[in-house]
Amino acid sequence: MANLESEFVGIKSPNPFWLASAPPTDKEYNVRRAFEAGWGGVVWKTLGAEGPPVVNVNGPRYGAIHGADRRLLGLNNIELITDRPLEVNLEEMTRVKRDYPDHALIASVMVPCEEDEWKRILPMIAETGCDGFELNFGCPHGMAERGMGSAVGQVPDYIEMVSRWCKEATDLPVIVKLTPNITNILYPAEAALRGGADAVSLINTINSITSVNLDVMSPEPMIDGKGTHGGYCGPAVKPIALNMVAEIARNPETAKLPISGIGGVTTWRDAAEFMALGAGNVQVCTAAMTYGFKIVQEMISGLSQWMDEKGYTSTADFVGMATPNVTDWQYLNLNHVTKAVINQDDCIKCGRCYAACEDTSHQAIEMSEDRVFTVKDDECVACNLCVNVCPVENCITMRTLEPGEMDERTNTPVEAEYGNWTAHPNNPMSTAAE
Amino acid sequence: MSNTPFSDGIQAGRLDSAELAENFGDLHPRFDDHEALVAADRCYFCHDAPCMTACPTEIDIPLFIRQIATGTPEAAAKTIFDQNILGGMCARVCPTETLCEQVCVRETAEGNPVEIGRLQRYATDKLVDAGLHPFGRADSTGKKVAVVGAGPAGLSAAHRLAMHGHDVTVYDARAKAGGLNEFGIAAYKSVESFAEREVEWLLKIGGITVETGKKLGDGLSLDGLKAEFDAVFLGIGLGGVNALGVDGEGKDGVDDAVDFIAELRQADDLSKMAIGRDVVVIGGGMTAVDAAVQAKLLGALNVSLVYRRGKDRMNASEFEQDLAASKGVRIITNASPKAVIGNGAVREIEFEYTDNDLKPTGQTIRLAADQVFKAIGQTLEGEGLPALEWGKIKVDDNGRTSVEGIWAGGDCATGGDDLTVTAVAEGRDAAEDIHAKLSA
């Protein structure tokens, strides 16, 4: 079994699976149980300043999007940072870290954007023995209205400023948690780097309304007939998170900035994908909130089995391996030609590929009277929609045409050489030699 | 309780009321909301769905299941009733395992189809139970149509005709409308007087008058109907029962299965329903299974279902055969009745084994029997009917008979299997043809 031990910005943990700062990590009881269940680390639910803690709503805090069979695909929340007194959290963190010295314990922090506040609270929290800090610049609801959370994360200058204060206030690693509610993730990431942050973690939740109560005419979750936008997370946001992680990882300026990947990690495979795109570890919340802490056991067994199969001996072996293959559209090989192929043995004859192709794509699938579905190579543009709507995995696949083979759609033989848009004759800006 | 399954002879009260209530409860309990959503989620919304093609009434199954999945079962019911006004009963009695569910792509994929029949019942019950009838009548055409037979074919035709604005009179020989739905299927398939409630619900469309106790040759004549109405639809079913044609057939205790089933369906108190200790049912169709299973459920000690050909030739579906076996009915195949033995009343019945070509093998068996039910098929009854073919009224694709102005459908007519759902389709389609003709 592969060794899953992980080191992220100098913080060691038995595996790369951390629980993200969120309800599951709000108190000692939960965190102890999480560690017992196998989680490698936790980012303690965000701590605020001393004094009276924040209050939460007393109605629903969560809204959800479901797939078939009520699988939870997306979760949104309007919960604020911890609503328990700072000193209680610090006492509990101290005890937990004492009893679990080999597990990662990170303190998530959010205080108003004033130098004193940050410089005073970090040393106080450091006394718990925690391994590092995560600056919560991501929460999009509630706290943002008070000038914290994503209100900071949306202004790169603030990120840089607060990161610098924090690095001046502590020797522990500082991770900046980024909000996805921006136009370009590189600006906040670069700001964090300039401010001296040791790493970024992303994504925090996405501004969202999950549903509308059509009787009351109010967004959900609904509090006394009104709703507000909440933070969206869970499997549905994974594609957005993967892209943002990849953008930071492939950007020359931030390429060396460690990333803690967050956003819909539900299985070992999701974790491996984040890490392949450049995340040094991952943080999980919704999967635990959906299935409980035990879910990490599948992540552990799955990741180590895959690593064994691939011959990786450390999680660092594959971090960022997919990053070089993230490119711009203009560099994709336009001479690479594929065609959909339907495996007749696997086909259950539902006809969804046909409906999708005939109604919404390229009319490239033929349906016989006895419901045999075949691809018309002379029409197929290899869009992959049939693959995506087919209910049977791997029933429809894409076959790559060999160089020299005739593409029946264009009536031209497939070229062996790589050729992209930059040099394409149809491109008015083409840089191809005349 | 004085009697038990061991009591000799044909006796009532072999089981107590609680056992009887349990035995005759709903065969497939209705889905609750959660079960319906889980089941509906499994539908792939196939293109040109095979289930739809397999349905004799061509219900848009993917659409109605999606309507259930999106929380609008009432709309789902409307989708069903648009094609099949007796969709509630069909949801209960259709052999779905040989129709829609057999061709469900998830049957192909996993050997486990979407439970279309139960989903259909979930949706249709919503409207029928609420007493909501989603159809109205077109402006009156002033035309009058007679429908003979208030079974599935006749009711289906009547509803469609009324919808198109014609005034319909439905005649039935029995004291109650419903036909086989009311008199001819096992009680556990239509609990809580569903057949009766369904007829009441169907009639809510208005414009349909039901006259019971009237049949052709007994209060009605085809010539009279033709003279009085603009069109006539015959959905008279198969009123005659085939005889065994063996010695001793007239002995006491030898009865027609259809009579037993009808009596049981109309019984107010099943503990008063007499049944033999050793029951033998002869036949291999749905009627035979319905009789055999219900005999067992009433408390008969031994019930045998004997069929002259092999299992694969039985008209009863595999599901029905399995149901019978699971209730403790012994199924004997390749045995043909030879003689009913007994002094006055049947005591035993002798069968001779046959091969698949019905050639006797020379070997015989005798089964103890104090009650024998014949279920070897029914035949068309009546004189002066339109031209027949294979013993049924010959009709074309539109249900037209050899006589101008007379249509026919359901079991009495040629074409299609003798299923409720087929009868509904034939009644509906004939009604459309009648409407076209009357509007021309």
Side-chain angles (χ1 to χ4, degrees):
Chain A
M1 189 166 152
N3 179 8
L4 294 186
E5 271 177 36
S6 159
E7 186 169 335
F8 184 75
V9 291
I11 303 167
K12 292 199 165 97
S13 58
N15 59 53
F17 306 113
W18 292 5
L19 279 170
S21 169
T25 62
D26 192 26
K27 52 182 181 294
E28 179 177 0
Y29 176 83
N30 296 23
V31 174
R32 283 183 184 275
R33 284 168 45 90
F35 283 158
E36 291 300 323
W39 291 91
V42 304
V43 183
W44 201 276
K45 171 128 174 143
T46 305
L47 306 170
E50 287 174 283
V54 302
V55 294
N56 270 300
V57 294
N58 297 299
R61 300 175 188 189
Y62 305 115
I65 294 293
H66 293 108
D69 209 12
R70 252 183 101 77
R71 290 287 165 125
L72 195 148
L73 301 182
L75 185 70
N76 121 325
N77 84 88
I78 56 168
E79 186 174 287
L80 304 183
I81 62 174
T82 183
D83 55 9
R84 306 182 322 134
L86 177 64
E87 50 278 20
V88 172
N89 277 308
L90 296 183
E91 281 166 23
E92 292 185 1
M93 288 169 69
T94 307
R95 283 200 295 271
V96 169
K97 186 62 201 177
R98 181 195 66 205
D99 292 349
Y100 294 91
D102 299 331
H103 288 63
L105 182 69
I106 313 300
S108 173
V109 190
M110 181 197 289
V111 291
C113 232
E114 288 166 29
E115 187 169 2
D116 288 356
E117 294 262 9
W118 286 96
K119 288 194 165 171
R120 202 160 54 81
I121 198 168
L122 291 197
M124 197 190 307
I125 299 170
E127 284 174 25
T128 61
C130 68
D131 299 296
F133 294 101
E134 184 178 81
L135 313 187
N136 182 340
F137 295 158
C139 264
H141 50 271
M143 302 311 286
E145 295 170 17
R146 305 174 201 179
M148 292 181 267
S150 65
V152 178
Q154 287 168 337
V155 184
D157 288 349
Y158 291 171
I159 294 174
E160 180 181 346
M161 176 178 75
V162 179
S163 299
R164 185 166 292 121
W165 293 338
C166 290
K167 281 306 288 179
E168 286 166 8
T170 179
D171 292 332
L172 292 174
V174 171
I175 304 164
V176 173
K177 188 164 179 177
L178 302 181
T179 174
N181 301 308
I182 39 80
T183 50
N184 184 342
I185 197 66
L186 294 180
Y187 297 140
E190 286 167 2
L193 186 63
R194 281 197 303 275
D198 298 281
V200 288
S201 56
L202 68 159
I203 58 173
N204 204 308
T205 55
I206 303 173
N207 276 333
S208 60
I209 290 173
T210 46
S211 57
V212 175
N213 184 317
L214 291 176
D215 297 320
V216 180
M217 285 296 173
S218 157
E220 308 237 45
M222 176 175 75
I223 306 291
D224 191 24
K226 300 233 183 286
T228 186
H229 65 87
Y232 195 47
C233 55
V237 312
K238 181 186 131 188
I240 297 163
L242 282 178
N243 176 56
M244 289 186 169
V245 165
E247 287 301 299
I248 294 172
R250 76 188 185 100
N251 173 39
E253 203 176 319
T254 50
K256 291 211 163 80
L257 182 63
I259 301 167
S260 184
I262 312 171
V265 174
T266 310
T267 69
W268 69 267
R269 186 179 292 274
D270 298 327
E273 289 172 12
F274 269 94
M275 293 169 77
L277 283 178
N281 71 0
V282 292
Q283 297 184 31
V284 177
C285 172
T286 308
M289 290 184 73
T290 309
Y291 301 107
F293 290 142
K294 185 181 166 183
I295 194 84
V296 74
Q297 290 167 16
E298 167 271 310
M299 297 182 189
I300 290 169
S301 64
L303 188 67
S304 54
Q305 179 183 326
W306 173 74
M307 285 172 60
D308 285 344
E309 285 165 9
K310 295 288 181 188
Y312 301 127
T313 53
S314 151
T315 56
D317 288 358
F318 58 90
V319 168
M321 278 186 74
T323 314
N325 292 327
V326 182
T327 185
D328 294 340
W329 192 96
Q330 62 184 329
Y331 301 122
L332 297 176
N333 183 5
L334 298 175
N335 291 335
H336 178 79
V337 182
T338 61
K339 299 285 176 190
V341 181
I342 300 171
N343 181 333
Q344 299 301 335
D345 291 337
D346 291 343
C347 176
I348 60 172
K349 307 197 185 304
C350 68
R352 279 176 27 170
C353 57
Y354 175 82
C357 192
E358 191 71 12
D359 288 355
T360 70
S361 293
H362 299 83
Q363 296 76 48
I365 292 179
E366 195 166 289
M367 174 178 170
S368 73
E369 266 186 31
D370 56 346
R371 298 185 74 80
V372 175
F373 298 91
T374 42
V375 176
K376 296 186 253 180
D377 280 356
D378 57 342
E379 299 289 349
C380 179
V381 303
C383 73
N384 211 42
L385 182 63
C386 55
V387 173
N388 293 329
V389 301
C390 177
V392 180
E393 198 170 358
N394 295 325
C395 172
I396 309 180
T397 49
M398 285 292 165
R399 183 179 78 84
T400 301
L401 270 52
E402 298 295 330
E405 204 174 333
M406 187 64 78
D407 178 350
E408 290 179 26
R409 186 176 68 86
T410 55
N411 274 324
T412 43
V414 173
E415 289 180 36
E417 299 77 30
Y418 165 86
N420 67 37
W421 174 246
T422 61
H424 196 277
N426 289 18
N427 181 359
M429 313 289 282
S430 175
T431 55
E434 289 297 325
Chain B
M1 190 172 76
S2 50
N3 287 316
T4 72
F6 295 95
S7 304
D8 276 336
I10 302 176
Q11 304 284 358
R14 290 180 181 276
L15 302 175
D16 65 32
S17 307
E19 286 172 292
L20 287 169
E22 163 90 24
N23 284 354
F24 285 89
D26 218 336
L27 182 60
H28 298 291
R30 185 194 317 183
F31 276 146
D32 64 24
D33 292 345
H34 169 70
E35 291 170 315
L37 287 177
V38 171
D41 266 347
R42 296 189 65 237
C43 175
Y44 283 144
F45 203 75
C46 295
H47 171 76
D48 189 15
C51 53
M52 222 174 131
T53 312
C55 175
T57 55
E58 291 180 74
I59 292 170
D60 193 337
I61 294 166
L63 179 60
F64 96 68
I65 293 179
R66 190 164 176 83
Q67 289 166 322
I68 291 174
T70 54
T72 52
E74 296 81 3
K78 175 73 166 39
T79 300
I80 295 161
F81 291 135
D82 276 341
Q83 289 296 108
N84 180 337
I85 198 65
L86 295 176
M89 184 57 81
C90 289
R92 290 161 165 81
V93 302
C94 258
T96 51
E97 68 281 359
T98 62
L99 296 170
C100 52
E101 292 179 16
Q102 182 180 47
V103 298
C104 174
V105 300
R106 300 207 72 156
E107 170 68 19
T108 313
E110 300 137 42
N112 186 16
V114 175
E115 289 188 81
I116 299 166
R118 294 184 76 187
L119 284 165
Q120 178 166 323
R121 175 166 171 200
Y122 169 81
T124 52
D125 276 7
K126 287 266 178 196
L127 275 196
V128 175
D129 288 355
L132 297 172
H133 191 91
F135 300 97
R137 298 188 68 196
D139 291 342
S140 174
T141 60
K143 305 280 185 187
K144 294 188 336 181
V145 183
V147 170
V148 187
L155 289 171
S156 168
H159 186 272
R160 188 55 64 107
L161 289 163
M163 211 167 87
H164 286 311
H166 309 297
D167 289 323
V168 185
T169 305
V170 179
Y171 299 98
D172 198 275
R174 302 244 195 194
K176 230 172 169 180
L180 288 182
N181 288 356
E182 179 60 48
F183 297 95
I185 53 166
Y188 46 78
K189 291 177 186 169
S190 170
V191 299
E192 295 160 355
S193 310
F194 180 76
E196 198 174 336
R197 289 193 290 122
E198 186 178 45
V199 171
E200 277 170 31
W201 172 87
L202 179 146
L203 294 176
K204 283 179 191 236
I205 184 137
I208 303 173
T209 309
V210 178
E211 294 196 19
T212 54
K214 290 192 177 166
K215 63 188 276 195
L216 287 178
D218 184 6
L220 293 179
S221 76
L222 263 186
D223 287 343
L225 291 173
K226 273 198 69 181
E228 191 184 341
F229 292 92
D230 296 296
V232 178
F233 175 82
L234 300 177
I236 56 178
L238 302 172
V241 178
N242 291 338
L244 295 175
V246 300
D247 289 345
E249 190 168 351
K251 290 187 194 298
D252 290 349
V254 180
D255 302 312
D256 289 328
V258 290
D259 293 340
F260 164 65
I261 292 168
E263 191 190 345
L264 192 147
R265 278 294 298 281
Q266 301 305 311
D268 293 329
D269 182 356
L270 290 177
S271 69
K272 295 208 170 73
M273 186 81 198
I275 191 70
R277 191 188 92 139
D278 301 301
V279 177
V280 175
V281 181
I282 302 170
M286 297 289 199
T287 302
V289 170
D290 282 358
V293 169
Q294 293 190 109
K296 191 73 195 163
L297 298 179
L298 280 174
L301 185 65
N302 298 303
V303 178
S304 306
L305 186 154
V306 188
Y307 178 55
R308 60 185 180 152
R309 298 179 194 267
K311 194 171 163 22
D312 55 322
R313 297 286 296 274
M314 286 175 74
N315 268 334
S317 66
E318 210 171 311
F319 170 82
E320 293 285 335
Q321 295 178 34
D322 291 347
L323 175 71
S326 76
K327 299 294 180 191
V329 172
R330 179 187 176 198
I331 297 177
I332 300 170
T333 54
N334 291 99
S336 189
K338 225 179 154 203
V340 177
I341 298 146
N343 184 8
V346 57
R347 194 182 73 245
E348 47 184 14
I349 176 165
E350 184 172 278
F351 294 89
E352 182 165 33
Y353 282 116
T354 57
D355 65 15
N356 281 336
D357 299 324
L358 294 181
K359 226 164 74 198
T361 64
Q363 299 151 295
T364 59
I365 52 160
R366 285 188 177 198
L367 297 175
D370 41 33
Q371 195 165 26
V372 173
F373 291 124
K374 297 177 284 183
I376 58 169
Q378 287 138 261
T379 48
L380 180 63
E381 273 189 332
E383 296 191 353
L385 295 171
L388 306 187
E389 185 180 61
W390 305 111
K392 292 190 167 194
I393 300 169
K394 187 181 176 190
V395 294
D396 66 11
D397 288 347
N398 294 312
R400 295 183 192 184
T401 68
S402 60
V403 180
E404 177 85 19
I406 300 182
W407 283 256
D411 290 358
C412 71
T414 54
D417 299 322
D418 289 352
L419 295 172
T420 305
V421 64
T422 312
V424 173
E426 290 168 358
R428 176 197 70 193
D429 295 345
E432 290 293 349
D433 192 55
I434 293 169
H435 173 62
K437 197 88 196 258
L438 296 184
S439 317

